[in-house]
Amino acid sequence: GPLRRQVERFETVLVEHLVDVFGRHWPDDSSDVVAEERLRAMIRSMPDRLDTVIKTLRKRLNWAMDLMRRLDADRQRKGTLDPDEDALYQRCDRLVKRLKGIALRSRSEAEGYDENNTYSVLAAEGFLPGYGLDTGSVIATALMPRNIMAGPDFVLPRPSAVALREYVPGNLIYANGHRFVARFFHLDPVPPLIFQVDVSKESVLEVGAAQPGAASTLGATSIKAIPVCDVDLTHVSHITDEEDYRFQLAVAVYGYETERHGVGKRYTWGNRREVKLMKSVHLRLVNVGAAAKVADGELGYPMSLVTGASRSPLASQAELEDFENSNLERYGKPTDRVGIYADVIADALCIPGLASRDEAYSVLEALRIGMTRVLEMELEDLHVLVVARGASDEVDGLLYDPMPGGSGLLEQACERWPEVVAAAEDVVKNCPGVCERACIDCLKAFRNAHYHKYLDRKIAAERLAEWGYTLEFRHEIPASLPKEKPSGEHQPTNQAEDRLRYLLERAGFPKGEWQKQIVLGPPLGTTTPDCYFPGEDEYFKGVCIYLDGLSVEIHGNPEIAERDRAIRTHLRNTGYEVIEIPVSHLEDREQMAVHFSRLANYLMGKERARELRTNKDWFE
């Protein structure tokens, strides 16, 4: 009501302002979009649209709280809840926390807004600005000692790609006149992943989730890795005037593309070298440890996977032993050497098929420094990643933009390519130190220490001279999305699907919708359950049944399995119920009775669910 009265009071002023703003440079061929009548109608309808959004959020909250009250009553009556009911209670609790702004989504997610958080919904609907909302930033909380009267604690948000390099054990963080070190990590409740690491080729390969007791079986080239997460920073000291430089831990970050990206452009550099400018490239980056230690074969950071406490990999042996013994004494478990990984969505400039790592790192570093001279950017605004190509010496080189949504620097670099190449040539041809390969006056910097051995200004100068100054556009590159159903399953999907159809009909279930596509929105896209039973409203949107074939191509592929988990978690959090049926269960009477009892509980009530559980004549 008060908002509506204010809108009515100032309607003329608002309309005049919008007409002036949109009337300056709006294209003539679509002027009807910003016609005065359209703008006036939008202003008048705004209070009603806001009221609709608020009521929808209120319905979500009331639905979750009512269901939690009913489940609490069941818990008091029965003493405990069934597993399905307990899981439903936890989902409702998470929804309430999100609506109240207490719990945000996973920090390892790199794209999109939190569609359950109240402020995020209002921003997505256009009623609040979105730039101050959570979009996957990793939060470091600087804990100020109370004895030095230095003020309250404060937070330092970073994009996940930046936090992966900065918020690591052993690094010093400088802020507000103080020095801090990352000490206590807020571990996500997911098992660490195991990565196979080839230090010589600077490559990583995910081999699966860590199992209990797996630490003792890890080889010298294997490492557990946790997703990048929030961290508490411990105060070290004031910043003094005597400090001549600031310490930054050089880290080894390896990675690979996950074969998913947005639209892009293909160029030819000097009629020979291919260059691709890609939007929204999906990268998995793994920080495998401090560069100096990794070079000596010591991977990871000392960390307790029980508490999230950590120590610097450069700490003394006595300190590391004390940390290990303390963890064993308190929790009965040893500490681990762990890496940190992040799934990053970034714009990238890719130069595929480079002859060697020397060529890749030297050319990319020269281009990056050249861009700092031509564009308004700092060196760390773009990062370098070199990806191995199997057993070949050839590699793909990437310059990627760690800023979520992109900062536009790579597009500017392509537009001003002759200037960038000329500046890069000046860096490598006119080194003030006249070094033989590379030095701090040309290509070397503290933050790129882990690939100093590859830098060679003469190689960079030769390639830049050979490829020239022209960057010619060839064609658009279409977006690439992951396939829903890779071919080659060991058990044919149609055979399993026919068996499931038959059993559902025998058990008297209503007809479901087969292979129905459900739109999830960015960044997950769509999903296609094998069978879908529609729900009654937005609070119960239906049941999705997935037949898990357990094939090598699907569930043996860690990337696809991780995406499946993310999709199904999203469905459960947005009003759907999900039932996963392994194909092997289709011939198991008792297992199918469990699945069908659960399905009947959602669709036909507890009485029918109990009948299907006890009378299994429907199974043949």
Side-chain angles (χ1 to χ4, degrees), residues 189-387:
V190 297
L193 298 180
I194 302 294
F195 290 91
Q196 198 76 22
V197 182
D198 187 334
V199 176
S200 63
K201 290 186 175 294
E202 297 184 355
S203 64
V204 291
L205 175 67
E206 183 188 335
V207 296
Q211 301 298 323
S216 60
T217 65
L218 293 181
T221 58
S222 296
I223 186 174
K224 285 182 181 179
I226 61 170
V228 66
C229 58
D230 293 350
V231 60
D232 291 339
L233 306 179
T234 301
H235 185 267
V236 176
S237 67
H238 293 283
I239 299 174
T240 65
D241 295 335
E242 288 73 29
E243 291 187 68
D244 293 327
Y245 65 92
R246 292 189 173 186
F247 174 78
Q248 289 182 315
L249 184 70
V251 298
V253 176
Y254 305 156
Y256 53 89
E257 296 183 55
T258 61
E259 297 184 355
R260 182 180 176 188
H261 57 75
V263 296
K265 297 178 180 179
R266 181 181 180 274
Y267 298 91
T268 301
W269 181 8
N271 298 321
R272 288 190 57 190
R273 175 57 56 192
E274 178 186 5
V275 175
K276 296 186 291 185
L277 177 61
M278 308 301 300
K279 302 289 289 184
S280 302
V281 178
H282 288 236
L283 303 171
R284 170 157 285 181
L285 305 177
V286 186
N287 185 330
V288 299
K293 291 293 184 179
V294 171
D296 295 334
E298 296 183 34
L299 304 179
Y301 300 92
M303 186 177 296
S304 167
L305 294 183
V306 178
T307 65
S310 67
R311 293 294 183 273
S312 168
L314 307 181
S316 67
Q317 189 60 34
E319 182 178 355
L320 294 177
E321 288 178 359
D322 179 71
F323 181 49
E324 172 80 9
N325 294 334
S326 175
N327 208 66
L328 277 171
E329 181 180 338
R330 292 183 178 183
Y331 309 109
K333 292 185 179 182
T335 59
D336 283 277
R337 283 269 182 170
V338 302
I340 305 172
Y341 72 89
D343 293 324
V344 175
I345 303 171
D347 295 348
L349 187 72
C350 178
I351 309 177
L354 294 168
S356 65
R357 295 185 180 279
D358 289 7
E359 181 176 289
Y361 280 115
S362 301
V363 171
L364 291 173
E365 194 62 35
L367 288 174
R368 184 165 72 141
I369 297 173
M371 291 177 190
T372 65
R373 297 186 176 185
V374 175
L375 309 177
E376 294 183 4
M377 61 167 278
E378 300 294 332
L379 191 64
E380 288 302 309
D381 289 345
L382 296 175
H383 292 177
V384 173
L385 179 66
V386 173
V387 180

Side-chain angles (χ1 to χ4, degrees), residues 526-596:
T526 63
T527 184
T528 307
D530 295 279
C531 186
Y532 167 69
F533 293 92
E536 300 173 355
D537 51 42
E538 62 180 306
Y539 309 116
F540 174 56
K541 295 180 180 178
V543 183
C544 300
I545 297 179
Y546 290 90
L547 281 172
D548 287 344
L550 307 182
S551 68
V552 173
E553 290 79 6
I554 296 181
H555 297 278
N557 185 315
E559 295 170 17
I560 296 177
E562 180 61 29
R563 182 173 183 271
D564 285 348
R565 284 194 292 271
I567 286 174
R568 296 174 191 185
T569 299
H570 178 85
L571 288 171
R572 291 184 175 105
N573 289 339
T574 53
Y576 295 90
E577 297 295 340
V578 177
I579 297 177
E580 298 151 306
I581 302 179
V583 169
S584 59
H585 286 189
L586 292 173
E587 303 301 327
D588 187 319
R589 183 190 303 268
E590 297 301 320
Q591 293 285 5
M592 290 306 298
V594 173
H595 294 309
F596 276 17

Side-chain angles (χ1 to χ4, degrees), residues 322-547:
D322 179 71
F323 181 49
E324 172 80 9
N325 294 334
S326 175
N327 208 66
L328 277 171
E329 181 180 338
R330 292 183 178 183
Y331 309 109
K333 292 185 179 182
T335 59
D336 283 277
R337 283 269 182 170
V338 302
I340 305 172
Y341 72 89
D343 293 324
V344 175
I345 303 171
D347 295 348
L349 187 72
C350 178
I351 309 177
L354 294 168
S356 65
R357 295 185 180 279
D358 289 7
E359 181 176 289
Y361 280 115
S362 301
V363 171
L364 291 173
E365 194 62 35
L367 288 174
R368 184 165 72 141
I369 297 173
M371 291 177 190
T372 65
R373 297 186 176 185
V374 175
L375 309 177
E376 294 183 4
M377 61 167 278
E378 300 294 332
L379 191 64
E380 288 302 309
D381 289 345
L382 296 175
H383 292 177
V384 173
L385 179 66
V386 173
V387 180
R389 281 193 163 197
S392 169
D393 289 334
E394 287 192 350
V395 295
D396 295 338
L398 286 86
L399 272 177
Y400 68 92
D401 185 346
M403 186 64 62
S407 61
L409 291 171
L410 295 173
E411 290 89 341
Q412 295 179 47
C414 291
E415 292 170 0
R416 304 177 65 179
W417 196 253
E419 299 174 69
V420 170
V421 175
E425 273 194 315
D426 182 61
V427 169
V428 295
K429 286 184 176 179
N430 302 310
C431 173
V434 197
C435 61
E436 185 63 27
R437 283 178 58 90
C439 67
I440 59 172
D441 291 324
C442 53
L443 295 179
K444 288 186 177 180
F446 190 82
R447 293 301 291 268
N448 64 15
H450 75 280
Y451 54 82
H452 278 181
K453 61 183 178 181
Y454 298 115
L455 295 175
D456 190 326
R457 68 184 183 93
K458 294 181 179 178
I459 291 178
E462 290 173 4
R463 298 300 176 267
L464 293 173
E466 176 185 352
W467 299 335
Y469 300 95
T470 60
L471 193 67
E472 185 176 352
F473 174 74
R474 291 300 184 187
H475 58 77
E476 300 280 349
I477 300 174
S480 173
L481 299 176
K483 297 178 180 178
E484 282 290 332
K485 291 179 178 274
S487 59
E489 294 183 31
H490 292 310
Q491 301 187 42
T493 303
N494 58 352
Q495 203 170 2
E497 185 180 301
D498 289 343
R499 173 66 175 165
L500 179 61
R501 285 176 185 262
Y502 173 75
L503 292 177
L504 288 169
E505 291 175 2
R506 289 271 303 173
F509 284 101
K511 288 187 177 181
E513 300 177 35
W514 295 85
Q515 304 301 324
K516 174 183 172 60
Q517 189 177 76
I518 297 174
V519 178
L520 305 176
L524 296 174
T526 63
T527 184
T528 307
D530 295 279
C531 186
Y532 167 69
F533 293 92
E536 300 173 355
D537 51 42
E538 62 180 306
Y539 309 116
F540 174 56
K541 295 180 180 178
V543 183
C544 300
I545 297 179
Y546 290 90
L547 281 172

Side-chain angles (χ1 to χ4, degrees), residues 1-205:
L3 175 62
R4 189 187 308 280
R5 289 192 292 273
Q6 291 298 315
V7 169
E8 292 172 351
R9 178 182 176 187
F10 293 103
E11 179 182 315
T12 301
V13 177
L14 292 170
V15 172
E16 289 177 354
H17 177 68
L18 291 185
V19 168
D20 178 58
V21 168
F22 288 107
R24 293 176 186 174
H25 304 292
W26 198 267
D28 292 335
D29 57 358
S30 58
S31 58
D32 59 315
V33 176
V34 292
E36 181 176 339
E37 298 76 15
R38 294 283 294 273
L39 296 176
R40 188 180 299 276
M42 291 176 68
I43 290 172
R44 288 177 174 175
S45 65
M46 191 269 282
D48 291 330
R49 291 187 292 112
L50 176 59
D51 190 57
T52 300
V53 174
I54 294 294
K55 286 180 178 177
T56 299
L57 291 172
R58 171 62 66 180
K59 285 182 180 179
R60 285 189 189 179
L61 180 64
N62 288 340
W63 171 81
M65 295 181 69
D66 289 345
L67 194 54
M68 290 171 68
R69 281 191 286 268
R70 181 177 65 79
L71 291 171
D72 279 331
D74 288 347
R75 191 198 305 273
Q76 291 180 359
R77 189 181 73 257
K78 298 189 299 185
T80 186
L81 294 175
D82 296 336
D84 288 346
E85 294 175 325
D86 194 51
L88 179 59
Y89 187 94
Q90 296 302 323
R91 289 201 294 276
C92 292
D93 186 58
R94 287 195 297 271
L95 175 61
V96 172
K97 284 185 170 68
R98 288 189 175 211
L99 288 170
K100 289 179 173 289
I102 299 172
L104 301 177
R105 62 185 172 81
S106 170
R107 301 296 183 185
S108 62
E109 295 175 16
E111 185 178 83
Y113 65 91
D114 182 346
E115 70 282 358
N116 286 328
N117 179 271
T118 304
Y119 289 137
S120 297
V121 173
L122 294 176
E125 295 291 340
F127 297 105
L128 289 176
Y131 51 76
L133 299 174
D134 171 71
T135 55
S137 292
V138 177
I139 303 297
T141 303
L143 305 176
M144 300 300 297
R146 299 296 175 254
N147 61 316
I148 64 175
M149 301 295 290
D153 301 341
F154 57 92
V155 297
L156 299 169
R158 294 288 186 273
S160 56
V162 176
L164 187 69
R165 297 172 180 269
E166 186 173 344
Y167 294 156
V168 296
N171 191 32
L172 288 180
I173 292 95
Y174 296 78
N176 290 5
H178 298 268
R179 296 192 302 168
F180 300 88
V181 65
R183 182 55 55 87
F184 298 102
F185 289 79
H186 301 190
L187 302 178
D188 288 345
V190 297
L193 298 180
I194 302 294
F195 290 91
Q196 198 76 22
V197 182
D198 187 334
V199 176
S200 63
K201 290 186 175 294
E202 297 184 355
S203 64
V204 291
L205 175 67

